[in-house]
């Protein structure tokens, strides 16, 4: 899926990308930012990232996406708190209900 998304992004050159899930759209968004310079925001659902242990490959992948994003939109204050507890800067995360 990532090569197809990269090809579309290279052709269309969007101003930005919204990744609704860190584990699905987040990885292609990181690739688009790195290869094409397209910024992105990502939504954070605690149930999605808390299933990974703090030092697991799954969490390291999530953390990489959150660190590369221009902003992280948490779906609740508890999701934002969990992000901050896991080391994502509070200044980068925002709550949207």
């Amino acid at each position: 899926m990532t090569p197809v998304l990269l090809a579309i992004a290279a052709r269309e050159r969007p101003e930005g990308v919204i990744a609704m899930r860190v584990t699905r759209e987040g990885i292609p968004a990181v690739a688009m930012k790195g290869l094409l310079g397209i910024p992105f925001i990502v939504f954070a659902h605690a149930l999605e990232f808390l299933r990974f242990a703090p030092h697991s490959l799954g969490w390291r992948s999530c953390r990489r996406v959150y660190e590369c994003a221009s902003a992280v939109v948490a779906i609740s204050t508890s999701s934002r708190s969990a992000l901050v507890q896991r080391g994502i800067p509070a200044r980068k995360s925002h709550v949207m209900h």
Side-chain angles (χ1 to χ4, degrees), residues 64-75:
R64 174 81 172 135
V65 172
Y66 294 138
E67 289 172 347
C68 289
S70 298
V72 180
V73 180
I75 64 164

Side-chain angles (χ1 to χ4, degrees), residues 1-14 16-21 23-33 35-36 38:
M1 176 177 356
T2 300
V4 173
L5 292 174
L6 284 172
I8 293 168
R11 184 179 69 240
E12 300 294 328
R13 302 302 295 182
V17 171
I18 299 171
M20 296 302 293
R21 292 176 302 222
T23 55
R24 184 165 222 170
E25 297 90 7
I27 302 300
V30 170
M32 284 183 224
K33 181 178 180 182
L35 296 172
L36 303 172
I38 299 170

Side-chain angles (χ1 to χ4, degrees), residues 5-6 8 11 13-14 16 32 39 41 45 47 50 52 56 58-60 63 65 70 75 78 82-84 89 94:
L5 292 174
L6 284 172
I8 293 168
R11 184 179 69 240
R13 302 302 295 182
M32 284 183 224
I41 64 169
H45 308 260
L47 290 176
L50 287 179
F52 300 114
S56 68
W59 168 247
R60 288 194 311 259
R63 186 181 64 217
V65 172
S70 298
I75 64 164
S78 61
L83 283 171
V84 171
H94 310 276

